[in-house]
């Protein structure tokens, strides 16, 4: 069965960076992409970007350009999302989701990132 | 960016009764390939979102047939024919015809 297992919760200070992992299993990793979606406390869903696990091509939300980097390691079927220069409004649950044309059919369990001084 | 507008933002439904959620996009979601890139997700309390409907009207694997999606162009609807207690949560529509992908604000469904 398809599973996406994310890394654990993080607490970071403003200005720091965070790197969240998403380990995939149960399917051919390179046949799909991975989207990252975040959800601030009590808020809705915000799409952050997408990476092809086949060739590493990326598309990032404009508002995060320059601060976010998405990568994959095909040897371990793991996707990563790094967010730099963290601010308090980056506090959110970060989700990875398998995606090929925007159909996010399987989701990770979420990773809470708290940015606080 | 394409703006997705859902109505209502909250819904209280008696078990066994129907429910309907509207989603309107600021631009047509019909692609030149003939597909319409509109999705519906449900986020149950304390859980990750889950895919319900893809490309307007196709139920994802394991989704009960009481859920149905319809619409075209810029106007879409998610219907639940008979609401059950397990359907509580927040429903989101999402478009993927244009980057960035964008979600509606969410519609919270509660049981009366």
């Amino acid at each position: 069965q398809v599973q996406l297992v994310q890394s654990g919760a993080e607490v970071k200070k403003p200005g720091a960076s965070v790197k969240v992992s998403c380990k995939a299993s149960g399917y051919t990793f390179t046949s799909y992409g991975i989207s990252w979606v975040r959800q601030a406390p009590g808020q809705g869903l915000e799409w952050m970007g997408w990476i092809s696990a086949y060739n590493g091509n990326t598309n990032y939300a404009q508002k995060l350009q320059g601060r976010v980097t998405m990568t994959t390691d095909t040897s371990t079927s793991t996707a990563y999302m790094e967010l730099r220069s963290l601010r308090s409004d980056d506090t959110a649950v970060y989700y990875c989701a398998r995606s090929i044309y925007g159909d996010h059919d399987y989701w990770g369990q979420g990773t809470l990132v708290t940015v606080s001084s | 960016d394409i703006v997705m507008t859902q109505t209502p933002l909250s819904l209280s439904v008696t078990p066994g009764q129907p429910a309907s959620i509207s989603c309107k996009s600021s631009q047509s979601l019909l692609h030149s390939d003939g597909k319409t890139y509109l999705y519906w997700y449900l986020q149950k309390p304390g859980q990750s979102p889950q895919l319900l409907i893809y490309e307007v009207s196709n139920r994802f694997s394991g989704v009960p047939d009481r859920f149905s999606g319809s619409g075209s162009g810029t106007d879409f609807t998610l219907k639940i024919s008979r609401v059950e207690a397990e359907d509580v949560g927040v429903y989101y529509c999402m478009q993927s015809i244009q980057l960035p992908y964008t979600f509606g604000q969410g519609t919270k469904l509660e049981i009366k």
Side-chain angles (χ1 to χ4, degrees):
Chain A
Q1 71 285 18
V2 175
Q3 276 194 309
L4 299 175
V5 179
Q6 299 184 222
S7 49
E10 304 261 14
V11 179
K12 297 291 183 181
K13 294 194 182 305
S17 298
V18 68
K19 192 169 186 177
V20 179
S21 67
C22 170
K23 184 170 175 58
S25 61
Y27 71 98
T28 302
F29 184 65
T30 51
S31 294
Y32 292 82
I34 295 286
S35 277
W36 290 89
V37 175
R38 70 180 180 178
Q39 186 171 38
Q43 302 301 308
L45 302 172
E46 178 188 14
W47 180 83
M48 300 176 65
W50 174 88
I51 181 167
S52 165
Y54 173 70
N55 59 16
N57 286 350
T58 54
N59 286 297
Y60 300 140
Q62 184 70 27
K63 68 177 284 188
L64 296 173
Q65 285 275 2
R67 290 207 300 137
V68 68
T69 301
M70 296 175 187
T71 56
T72 59
D73 180 345
T74 55
S75 69
T76 60
S77 299
T78 302
Y80 298 91
M81 186 283 300
E82 181 180 32
L83 190 60
R84 300 176 293 279
S85 302
L86 289 168
R87 311 187 288 244
S88 58
D89 62 356
D90 291 318
T91 294
V93 176
Y94 289 76
Y95 295 101
C96 61
R98 190 178 80 163
S99 174
I100 192 163
Y101 292 122
D103 53 344
H104 304 78
D105 56 359
Y106 292 93
W107 294 65
Q109 83 275 21
T111 296
L112 175 61
V113 175
T114 303
V115 183
S116 174
S117 54
Chain B
D1 297 0
I2 295 178
V3 177
M4 306 295 288
T5 303
Q6 290 181 228
T7 54
L9 297 184
S10 65
L11 207 47
S12 183
V13 183
T14 300
Q17 292 302 301
S20 180
I21 300 170
S22 170
C23 175
K24 296 184 189 296
S25 57
S26 59
Q27 299 176 36
S28 175
L29 303 186
L30 174 62
H31 195 274
S32 56
D33 64 6
K35 295 181 180 180
T36 301
Y37 290 92
L38 184 282
Y39 303 83
W40 290 97
Y41 299 89
L42 166 59
Q43 186 174 31
K44 295 183 178 182
Q47 296 187 17
S48 302
Q50 59 189 82
L51 177 64
L52 293 176
I53 303 284
Y54 64 95
E55 294 167 15
V56 180
S57 59
N58 300 286
R59 275 188 303 277
F60 184 56
S61 174
V63 175
D65 61 7
R66 64 179 181 275
F67 290 92
S68 63
S70 63
S72 63
T74 62
D75 289 355
F76 306 94
T77 302
L78 175 71
K79 292 183 178 176
I80 310 173
S81 58
R82 295 174 303 280
V83 169
E84 297 188 5
E86 66 180 24
D87 300 336
V88 297
V90 182
Y91 291 79
Y92 295 94
C93 59
M94 190 209 80
Q95 65 80 21
S96 66
I97 193 173
Q98 180 185 105
L99 294 169
Y101 299 164
T102 47
F103 292 89
Q105 319 95 299
T107 296
K108 186 173 184 178
L109 175 68
E110 65 172 25
I111 299 296
K112 278 185 185 174

PDB file of all heavy atoms in Angstrom, chain B residues 2-39:
ATOM      1  N   ILE B   2      -5.386  31.792  -9.699  1.00  0.00           N
ATOM      2  CA  ILE B   2      -6.809  31.467  -9.778  1.00  0.00           C
ATOM      3  C   ILE B   2      -7.387  31.439  -8.364  1.00  0.00           C
ATOM      4  O   ILE B   2      -6.851  30.783  -7.475  1.00  0.00           O
ATOM      5  CB  ILE B   2      -7.021  30.119 -10.479  1.00  0.00           C
ATOM      6  CG1 ILE B   2      -6.576  30.217 -11.947  1.00  0.00           C
ATOM      7  CG2 ILE B   2      -8.490  29.692 -10.391  1.00  0.00           C
ATOM      8  CD1 ILE B   2      -6.689  28.927 -12.724  1.00  0.00           C
ATOM      9  N   VAL B   3      -8.480  32.167  -8.183  1.00  0.00           N
ATOM     10  CA  VAL B   3      -9.138  32.222  -6.879  1.00  0.00           C
ATOM     11  C   VAL B   3     -10.277  31.211  -6.866  1.00  0.00           C
ATOM     12  O   VAL B   3     -11.105  31.167  -7.784  1.00  0.00           O
ATOM     13  CB  VAL B   3      -9.684  33.633  -6.600  1.00  0.00           C
ATOM     14  CG1 VAL B   3     -10.441  33.655  -5.278  1.00  0.00           C
ATOM     15  CG2 VAL B   3      -8.544  34.645  -6.585  1.00  0.00           C
ATOM     16  N   MET B   4     -10.297  30.399  -5.820  1.00  0.00           N
ATOM     17  CA  MET B   4     -11.331  29.386  -5.640  1.00  0.00           C
ATOM     18  C   MET B   4     -12.230  29.832  -4.486  1.00  0.00           C
ATOM     19  O   MET B   4     -11.742  30.054  -3.373  1.00  0.00           O
ATOM     20  CB  MET B   4     -10.707  28.030  -5.324  1.00  0.00           C
ATOM     21  CG  MET B   4      -9.659  27.585  -6.343  1.00  0.00           C
ATOM     22  SD  MET B   4     -10.343  27.287  -7.963  1.00  0.00           S
ATOM     23  CE  MET B   4     -11.232  25.753  -7.659  1.00  0.00           C
ATOM     24  N   THR B   5     -13.517  29.958  -4.752  1.00  0.00           N
ATOM     25  CA  THR B   5     -14.449  30.463  -3.753  1.00  0.00           C
ATOM     26  C   THR B   5     -15.492  29.407  -3.436  1.00  0.00           C
ATOM     27  O   THR B   5     -16.253  28.984  -4.311  1.00  0.00           O
ATOM     28  CB  THR B   5     -15.141  31.737  -4.260  1.00  0.00           C
ATOM     29  OG1 THR B   5     -14.137  32.716  -4.594  1.00  0.00           O
ATOM     30  CG2 THR B   5     -16.068  32.303  -3.192  1.00  0.00           C
ATOM     31  N   GLN B   6     -15.522  28.988  -2.176  1.00  0.00           N
ATOM     32  CA  GLN B   6     -16.466  27.959  -1.741  1.00  0.00           C
ATOM     33  C   GLN B   6     -17.619  28.582  -0.968  1.00  0.00           C
ATOM     34  O   GLN B   6     -17.446  29.544  -0.223  1.00  0.00           O
ATOM     35  CB  GLN B   6     -15.775  26.937  -0.819  1.00  0.00           C
ATOM     36  CG  GLN B   6     -14.785  26.045  -1.518  1.00  0.00           C
ATOM     37  CD  GLN B   6     -14.136  25.027  -0.589  1.00  0.00           C
ATOM     38  OE1 GLN B   6     -12.924  24.875  -0.595  1.00  0.00           O
ATOM     39  NE2 GLN B   6     -14.931  24.317   0.195  1.00  0.00           N
ATOM     40  N   THR B   7     -18.789  28.018  -1.156  1.00  0.00           N
ATOM     41  CA  THR B   7     -19.953  28.373  -0.341  1.00  0.00           C
ATOM     42  C   THR B   7     -20.786  27.127  -0.069  1.00  0.00           C
ATOM     43  O   THR B   7     -20.869  26.240  -0.923  1.00  0.00           O
ATOM     44  CB  THR B   7     -20.847  29.411  -1.054  1.00  0.00           C
ATOM     45  OG1 THR B   7     -21.193  28.923  -2.350  1.00  0.00           O
ATOM     46  CG2 THR B   7     -20.164  30.763  -1.168  1.00  0.00           C
ATOM     47  N   PRO B   8     -21.372  27.016   1.127  1.00  0.00           N
ATOM     48  CA  PRO B   8     -21.150  27.906   2.276  1.00  0.00           C
ATOM     49  C   PRO B   8     -19.813  27.599   2.935  1.00  0.00           C
ATOM     50  O   PRO B   8     -19.134  26.654   2.544  1.00  0.00           O
ATOM     51  CB  PRO B   8     -22.322  27.536   3.180  1.00  0.00           C
ATOM     52  CG  PRO B   8     -22.511  26.067   2.932  1.00  0.00           C
ATOM     53  CD  PRO B   8     -22.242  25.877   1.449  1.00  0.00           C
ATOM     54  N   LEU B   9     -19.457  28.381   3.930  1.00  0.00           N
ATOM     55  CA  LEU B   9     -18.220  28.119   4.664  1.00  0.00           C
ATOM     56  C   LEU B   9     -18.453  27.150   5.805  1.00  0.00           C
ATOM     57  O   LEU B   9     -17.498  26.553   6.327  1.00  0.00           O
ATOM     58  CB  LEU B   9     -17.624  29.427   5.189  1.00  0.00           C
ATOM     59  CG  LEU B   9     -17.193  30.422   4.105  1.00  0.00           C
ATOM     60  CD1 LEU B   9     -16.520  31.632   4.741  1.00  0.00           C
ATOM     61  CD2 LEU B   9     -16.269  29.775   3.085  1.00  0.00           C
ATOM     62  N   SER B  10     -19.723  27.003   6.186  1.00  0.00           N
ATOM     63  CA  SER B  10     -20.060  25.995   7.187  1.00  0.00           C
ATOM     64  C   SER B  10     -21.440  25.429   6.892  1.00  0.00           C
ATOM     65  O   SER B  10     -22.280  26.100   6.282  1.00  0.00           O
ATOM     66  CB  SER B  10     -19.993  26.563   8.603  1.00  0.00           C
ATOM     67  OG  SER B  10     -20.970  27.550   8.773  1.00  0.00           O
ATOM     68  N   LEU B  11     -21.633  24.222   7.361  1.00  0.00           N
ATOM     69  CA  LEU B  11     -22.834  23.459   7.025  1.00  0.00           C
ATOM     70  C   LEU B  11     -23.148  22.556   8.200  1.00  0.00           C
ATOM     71  O   LEU B  11     -22.262  21.850   8.700  1.00  0.00           O
ATOM     72  CB  LEU B  11     -22.494  22.617   5.791  1.00  0.00           C
ATOM     73  CG  LEU B  11     -23.509  22.160   4.777  1.00  0.00           C
ATOM     74  CD1 LEU B  11     -24.420  23.278   4.348  1.00  0.00           C
ATOM     75  CD2 LEU B  11     -22.753  21.589   3.568  1.00  0.00           C
ATOM     76  N   SER B  12     -24.394  22.564   8.656  1.00  0.00           N
ATOM     77  CA  SER B  12     -24.820  21.670   9.720  1.00  0.00           C
ATOM     78  C   SER B  12     -25.938  20.796   9.166  1.00  0.00           C
ATOM     79  O   SER B  12     -26.978  21.318   8.748  1.00  0.00           O
ATOM     80  CB  SER B  12     -25.299  22.481  10.929  1.00  0.00           C
ATOM     81  OG  SER B  12     -25.657  21.622  11.996  1.00  0.00           O
ATOM     82  N   VAL B  13     -25.716  19.489   9.163  1.00  0.00           N
ATOM     83  CA  VAL B  13     -26.634  18.585   8.471  1.00  0.00           C
ATOM     84  C   VAL B  13     -27.069  17.439   9.384  1.00  0.00           C
ATOM     85  O   VAL B  13     -26.258  16.868  10.117  1.00  0.00           O
ATOM     86  CB  VAL B  13     -25.959  18.009   7.200  1.00  0.00           C
ATOM     87  CG1 VAL B  13     -26.927  17.115   6.439  1.00  0.00           C
ATOM     88  CG2 VAL B  13     -25.461  19.133   6.296  1.00  0.00           C
ATOM     89  N   THR B  14     -28.344  17.109   9.313  1.00  0.00           N
ATOM     90  CA  THR B  14     -28.881  15.961  10.046  1.00  0.00           C
ATOM     91  C   THR B  14     -28.458  14.672   9.339  1.00  0.00           C
ATOM     92  O   THR B  14     -28.518  14.601   8.098  1.00  0.00           O
ATOM     93  CB  THR B  14     -30.409  16.031  10.093  1.00  0.00           C
ATOM     94  OG1 THR B  14     -30.793  17.254  10.749  1.00  0.00           O
ATOM     95  CG2 THR B  14     -31.002  14.844  10.835  1.00  0.00           C
ATOM     96  N   PRO B  15     -28.019  13.667  10.084  1.00  0.00           N
ATOM     97  CA  PRO B  15     -27.648  12.403   9.439  1.00  0.00           C
ATOM     98  C   PRO B  15     -28.762  11.881   8.548  1.00  0.00           C
ATOM     99  O   PRO B  15     -29.941  11.931   8.912  1.00  0.00           O
ATOM    100  CB  PRO B  15     -27.394  11.467  10.629  1.00  0.00           C
ATOM    101  CG  PRO B  15     -26.977  12.375  11.730  1.00  0.00           C
ATOM    102  CD  PRO B  15     -27.776  13.634  11.548  1.00  0.00           C
ATOM    103  N   GLY B  16     -28.371  11.399   7.369  1.00  0.00           N
ATOM    104  CA  GLY B  16     -29.346  10.892   6.415  1.00  0.00           C
ATOM    105  C   GLY B  16     -29.844  11.926   5.436  1.00  0.00           C
ATOM    106  O   GLY B  16     -30.466  11.576   4.419  1.00  0.00           O
ATOM    107  N   GLN B  17     -29.586  13.199   5.723  1.00  0.00           N
ATOM    108  CA  GLN B  17     -30.000  14.271   4.817  1.00  0.00           C
ATOM    109  C   GLN B  17     -28.878  14.589   3.822  1.00  0.00           C
ATOM    110  O   GLN B  17     -27.710  14.295   4.067  1.00  0.00           O
ATOM    111  CB  GLN B  17     -30.352  15.528   5.604  1.00  0.00           C
ATOM    112  CG  GLN B  17     -31.608  15.363   6.450  1.00  0.00           C
ATOM    113  CD  GLN B  17     -32.816  14.991   5.601  1.00  0.00           C
ATOM    114  OE1 GLN B  17     -33.205  15.716   4.687  1.00  0.00           O
ATOM    115  NE2 GLN B  17     -33.396  13.831   5.884  1.00  0.00           N
ATOM    116  N   PRO B  18     -29.229  15.211   2.694  1.00  0.00           N
ATOM    117  CA  PRO B  18     -28.195  15.556   1.709  1.00  0.00           C
ATOM    118  C   PRO B  18     -27.459  16.831   2.075  1.00  0.00           C
ATOM    119  O   PRO B  18     -27.930  17.627   2.898  1.00  0.00           O
ATOM    120  CB  PRO B  18     -29.011  15.759   0.424  1.00  0.00           C
ATOM    121  CG  PRO B  18     -30.356  16.205   0.900  1.00  0.00           C
ATOM    122  CD  PRO B  18     -30.593  15.496   2.208  1.00  0.00           C
ATOM    123  N   ALA B  19     -26.304  17.010   1.457  1.00  0.00           N
ATOM    124  CA  ALA B  19     -25.523  18.223   1.621  1.00  0.00           C
ATOM    125  C   ALA B  19     -24.892  18.579   0.286  1.00  0.00           C
ATOM    126  O   ALA B  19     -24.596  17.692  -0.529  1.00  0.00           O
ATOM    127  CB  ALA B  19     -24.434  18.044   2.679  1.00  0.00           C
ATOM    128  N   SER B  20     -24.669  19.868   0.092  1.00  0.00           N
ATOM    129  CA  SER B  20     -24.106  20.341  -1.166  1.00  0.00           C
ATOM    130  C   SER B  20     -23.153  21.491  -0.902  1.00  0.00           C
ATOM    131  O   SER B  20     -23.451  22.376  -0.091  1.00  0.00           O
ATOM    132  CB  SER B  20     -25.241  20.795  -2.095  1.00  0.00           C
ATOM    133  OG  SER B  20     -24.743  21.257  -3.325  1.00  0.00           O
ATOM    134  N   ILE B  21     -22.008  21.466  -1.570  1.00  0.00           N
ATOM    135  CA  ILE B  21     -21.005  22.517  -1.438  1.00  0.00           C
ATOM    136  C   ILE B  21     -20.665  23.026  -2.833  1.00  0.00           C
ATOM    137  O   ILE B  21     -20.426  22.230  -3.753  1.00  0.00           O
ATOM    138  CB  ILE B  21     -19.726  21.994  -0.755  1.00  0.00           C
ATOM    139  CG1 ILE B  21     -20.043  21.474   0.642  1.00  0.00           C
ATOM    140  CG2 ILE B  21     -18.663  23.099  -0.687  1.00  0.00           C
ATOM    141  CD1 ILE B  21     -18.896  20.713   1.295  1.00  0.00           C
ATOM    142  N   SER B  22     -20.635  24.340  -2.975  1.00  0.00           N
ATOM    143  CA  SER B  22     -20.322  24.961  -4.251  1.00  0.00           C
ATOM    144  C   SER B  22     -18.882  25.469  -4.264  1.00  0.00           C
ATOM    145  O   SER B  22     -18.354  25.913  -3.238  1.00  0.00           O
ATOM    146  CB  SER B  22     -21.271  26.127  -4.499  1.00  0.00           C
ATOM    147  OG  SER B  22     -20.864  26.891  -5.611  1.00  0.00           O
ATOM    148  N   CYS B  23     -18.270  25.390  -5.416  1.00  0.00           N
ATOM    149  CA  CYS B  23     -16.911  25.898  -5.601  1.00  0.00           C
ATOM    150  C   CYS B  23     -16.867  26.622  -6.948  1.00  0.00           C
ATOM    151  O   CYS B  23     -17.217  26.025  -7.983  1.00  0.00           O
ATOM    152  CB  CYS B  23     -15.910  24.751  -5.576  1.00  0.00           C
ATOM    153  SG  CYS B  23     -14.195  25.209  -5.926  1.00  0.00           S
ATOM    154  N   LYS B  24     -16.493  27.887  -6.905  1.00  0.00           N
ATOM    155  CA  LYS B  24     -16.391  28.656  -8.149  1.00  0.00           C
ATOM    156  C   LYS B  24     -14.950  29.120  -8.348  1.00  0.00           C
ATOM    157  O   LYS B  24     -14.314  29.607  -7.404  1.00  0.00           O
ATOM    158  CB  LYS B  24     -17.329  29.857  -8.107  1.00  0.00           C
ATOM    159  CG  LYS B  24     -18.807  29.482  -8.045  1.00  0.00           C
ATOM    160  CD  LYS B  24     -19.687  30.711  -8.109  1.00  0.00           C
ATOM    161  CE  LYS B  24     -21.148  30.385  -7.829  1.00  0.00           C
ATOM    162  NZ  LYS B  24     -21.744  29.492  -8.838  1.00  0.00           N
ATOM    163  N   SER B  25     -14.464  28.999  -9.568  1.00  0.00           N
ATOM    164  CA  SER B  25     -13.102  29.428  -9.869  1.00  0.00           C
ATOM    165  C   SER B  25     -13.141  30.733 -10.667  1.00  0.00           C
ATOM    166  O   SER B  25     -14.087  31.002 -11.395  1.00  0.00           O
ATOM    167  CB  SER B  25     -12.369  28.347 -10.671  1.00  0.00           C
ATOM    168  OG  SER B  25     -13.062  28.038 -11.859  1.00  0.00           O
ATOM    169  N   SER B  26     -12.061  31.512 -10.521  1.00  0.00           N
ATOM    170  CA  SER B  26     -12.007  32.812 -11.196  1.00  0.00           C
ATOM    171  C   SER B  26     -11.672  32.674 -12.682  1.00  0.00           C
ATOM    172  O   SER B  26     -11.785  33.646 -13.431  1.00  0.00           O
ATOM    173  CB  SER B  26     -10.991  33.726 -10.499  1.00  0.00           C
ATOM    174  OG  SER B  26      -9.702  33.136 -10.512  1.00  0.00           O
ATOM    175  N   GLN B  27     -11.226  31.484 -13.075  1.00  0.00           N
ATOM    176  CA  GLN B  27     -10.959  31.200 -14.482  1.00  0.00           C
ATOM    177  C   GLN B  27     -11.420  29.782 -14.796  1.00  0.00           C
ATOM    178  O   GLN B  27     -11.532  28.962 -13.888  1.00  0.00           O
ATOM    179  CB  GLN B  27      -9.460  31.297 -14.796  1.00  0.00           C
ATOM    180  CG  GLN B  27      -8.830  32.651 -14.562  1.00  0.00           C
ATOM    181  CD  GLN B  27      -7.327  32.621 -14.805  1.00  0.00           C
ATOM    182  OE1 GLN B  27      -6.838  31.926 -15.701  1.00  0.00           O
ATOM    183  NE2 GLN B  27      -6.570  33.372 -14.012  1.00  0.00           N
ATOM    184  N   SER B  28     -11.668  29.517 -16.059  1.00  0.00           N
ATOM    185  CA  SER B  28     -12.069  28.174 -16.460  1.00  0.00           C
ATOM    186  C   SER B  28     -10.986  27.151 -16.121  1.00  0.00           C
ATOM    187  O   SER B  28      -9.792  27.425 -16.283  1.00  0.00           O
ATOM    188  CB  SER B  28     -12.355  28.121 -17.956  1.00  0.00           C
ATOM    189  OG  SER B  28     -12.636  26.791 -18.355  1.00  0.00           O
ATOM    190  N   LEU B  29     -11.436  25.997 -15.646  1.00  0.00           N
ATOM    191  CA  LEU B  29     -10.496  24.931 -15.301  1.00  0.00           C
ATOM    192  C   LEU B  29     -10.438  23.852 -16.393  1.00  0.00           C
ATOM    193  O   LEU B  29      -9.852  22.797 -16.187  1.00  0.00           O
ATOM    194  CB  LEU B  29     -10.893  24.307 -13.958  1.00  0.00           C
ATOM    195  CG  LEU B  29     -10.986  25.279 -12.777  1.00  0.00           C
ATOM    196  CD1 LEU B  29     -11.251  24.516 -11.486  1.00  0.00           C
ATOM    197  CD2 LEU B  29      -9.736  26.149 -12.657  1.00  0.00           C
ATOM    198  N   LEU B  30     -11.037  24.154 -17.537  1.00  0.00           N
ATOM    199  CA  LEU B  30     -11.023  23.232 -18.669  1.00  0.00           C
ATOM    200  C   LEU B  30      -9.721  23.396 -19.437  1.00  0.00           C
ATOM    201  O   LEU B  30      -9.406  24.471 -19.953  1.00  0.00           O
ATOM    202  CB  LEU B  30     -12.212  23.494 -19.590  1.00  0.00           C
ATOM    203  CG  LEU B  30     -12.240  22.688 -20.895  1.00  0.00           C
ATOM    204  CD1 LEU B  30     -12.335  21.193 -20.604  1.00  0.00           C
ATOM    205  CD2 LEU B  30     -13.409  23.146 -21.782  1.00  0.00           C
ATOM    206  N   HIS B  31      -8.961  22.315 -19.513  1.00  0.00           N
ATOM    207  CA  HIS B  31      -7.683  22.332 -20.217  1.00  0.00           C
ATOM    208  C   HIS B  31      -7.897  21.978 -21.688  1.00  0.00           C
ATOM    209  O   HIS B  31      -8.898  21.354 -22.037  1.00  0.00           O
ATOM    210  CB  HIS B  31      -6.743  21.312 -19.554  1.00  0.00           C
ATOM    211  CG  HIS B  31      -5.307  21.459 -19.939  1.00  0.00           C
ATOM    212  ND1 HIS B  31      -4.778  20.861 -21.071  1.00  0.00           N
ATOM    213  CD2 HIS B  31      -4.277  22.122 -19.347  1.00  0.00           C
ATOM    214  CE1 HIS B  31      -3.501  21.139 -21.158  1.00  0.00           C
ATOM    215  NE2 HIS B  31      -3.162  21.908 -20.120  1.00  0.00           N
ATOM    216  N   SER B  32      -6.920  22.328 -22.514  1.00  0.00           N
ATOM    217  CA  SER B  32      -6.996  21.994 -23.938  1.00  0.00           C
ATOM    218  C   SER B  32      -6.953  20.482 -24.183  1.00  0.00           C
ATOM    219  O   SER B  32      -7.325  20.026 -25.273  1.00  0.00           O
ATOM    220  CB  SER B  32      -5.857  22.674 -24.692  1.00  0.00           C
ATOM    221  OG  SER B  32      -4.615  22.315 -24.141  1.00  0.00           O
ATOM    222  N   ASP B  33      -6.528  19.717 -23.164  1.00  0.00           N
ATOM    223  CA  ASP B  33      -6.513  18.254 -23.325  1.00  0.00           C
ATOM    224  C   ASP B  33      -7.897  17.645 -23.069  1.00  0.00           C
ATOM    225  O   ASP B  33      -8.057  16.421 -23.093  1.00  0.00           O
ATOM    226  CB  ASP B  33      -5.460  17.607 -22.420  1.00  0.00           C
ATOM    227  CG  ASP B  33      -5.725  17.777 -20.930  1.00  0.00           C
ATOM    228  OD1 ASP B  33      -6.799  18.308 -20.561  1.00  0.00           O
ATOM    229  OD2 ASP B  33      -4.873  17.384 -20.123  1.00  0.00           O
ATOM    230  N   GLY B  34      -8.860  18.500 -22.763  1.00  0.00           N
ATOM    231  CA  GLY B  34     -10.231  18.043 -22.560  1.00  0.00           C
ATOM    232  C   GLY B  34     -10.572  17.745 -21.115  1.00  0.00           C
ATOM    233  O   GLY B  34     -11.730  17.532 -20.785  1.00  0.00           O
ATOM    234  N   LYS B  35      -9.563  17.711 -20.258  1.00  0.00           N
ATOM    235  CA  LYS B  35      -9.809  17.441 -18.841  1.00  0.00           C
ATOM    236  C   LYS B  35     -10.032  18.748 -18.085  1.00  0.00           C
ATOM    237  O   LYS B  35      -9.530  19.799 -18.459  1.00  0.00           O
ATOM    238  CB  LYS B  35      -8.623  16.687 -18.233  1.00  0.00           C
ATOM    239  CG  LYS B  35      -8.407  15.297 -18.821  1.00  0.00           C
ATOM    240  CD  LYS B  35      -7.225  14.611 -18.158  1.00  0.00           C
ATOM    241  CE  LYS B  35      -7.002  13.230 -18.749  1.00  0.00           C
ATOM    242  NZ  LYS B  35      -5.853  12.535 -18.128  1.00  0.00           N
ATOM    243  N   THR B  36     -10.779  18.622 -16.999  1.00  0.00           N
ATOM    244  CA  THR B  36     -11.014  19.759 -16.110  1.00  0.00           C
ATOM    245  C   THR B  36     -10.357  19.446 -14.788  1.00  0.00           C
ATOM    246  O   THR B  36     -10.705  18.472 -14.117  1.00  0.00           O
ATOM    247  CB  THR B  36     -12.519  20.007 -15.935  1.00  0.00           C
ATOM    248  OG1 THR B  36     -13.101  20.272 -17.216  1.00  0.00           O
ATOM    249  CG2 THR B  36     -12.766  21.192 -15.014  1.00  0.00           C
ATOM    250  N   TYR B  37      -9.407  20.300 -14.377  1.00  0.00           N
ATOM    251  CA  TYR B  37      -8.545  19.975 -13.240  1.00  0.00           C
ATOM    252  C   TYR B  37      -9.083  20.561 -11.937  1.00  0.00           C
ATOM    253  O   TYR B  37      -8.537  21.514 -11.371  1.00  0.00           O
ATOM    254  CB  TYR B  37      -7.105  20.419 -13.548  1.00  0.00           C
ATOM    255  CG  TYR B  37      -6.491  19.558 -14.624  1.00  0.00           C
ATOM    256  CD1 TYR B  37      -6.574  19.915 -15.977  1.00  0.00           C
ATOM    257  CD2 TYR B  37      -5.864  18.352 -14.289  1.00  0.00           C
ATOM    258  CE1 TYR B  37      -6.036  19.088 -16.962  1.00  0.00           C
ATOM    259  CE2 TYR B  37      -5.329  17.534 -15.273  1.00  0.00           C
ATOM    260  CZ  TYR B  37      -5.425  17.911 -16.600  1.00  0.00           C
ATOM    261  OH  TYR B  37      -4.904  17.087 -17.575  1.00  0.00           O
ATOM    262  N   LEU B  38     -10.177  19.939 -11.484  1.00  0.00           N
ATOM    263  CA  LEU B  38     -10.831  20.337 -10.247  1.00  0.00           C
ATOM    264  C   LEU B  38     -10.933  19.116  -9.347  1.00  0.00           C
ATOM    265  O   LEU B  38     -11.378  18.050  -9.779  1.00  0.00           O
ATOM    266  CB  LEU B  38     -12.229  20.913 -10.551  1.00  0.00           C
ATOM    267  CG  LEU B  38     -13.088  21.495  -9.433  1.00  0.00           C
ATOM    268  CD1 LEU B  38     -13.768  20.414  -8.594  1.00  0.00           C
ATOM    269  CD2 LEU B  38     -12.317  22.427  -8.513  1.00  0.00           C
ATOM    270  N   TYR B  39     -10.487  19.299  -8.089  1.00  0.00           N
ATOM    271  CA  TYR B  39     -10.439  18.204  -7.133  1.00  0.00           C
ATOM    272  C   TYR B  39     -11.177  18.603  -5.865  1.00  0.00           C
ATOM    273  O   TYR B  39     -11.272  19.779  -5.521  1.00  0.00           O
ATOM    274  CB  TYR B  39      -8.980  17.869  -6.780  1.00  0.00           C
ATOM    275  CG  TYR B  39      -8.161  17.517  -7.993  1.00  0.00           C
ATOM    276  CD1 TYR B  39      -7.592  18.505  -8.785  1.00  0.00           C
ATOM    277  CD2 TYR B  39      -7.985  16.184  -8.372  1.00  0.00           C
ATOM    278  CE1 TYR B  39      -6.868  18.184  -9.922  1.00  0.00           C
ATOM    279  CE2 TYR B  39      -7.258  15.856  -9.498  1.00  0.00           C
ATOM    280  CZ  TYR B  39      -6.714  16.865 -10.273  1.00  0.00           C
ATOM    281  OH  TYR B  39      -5.997  16.544 -11.403  1.00  0.00           O
TER     282      TYR B  39
END
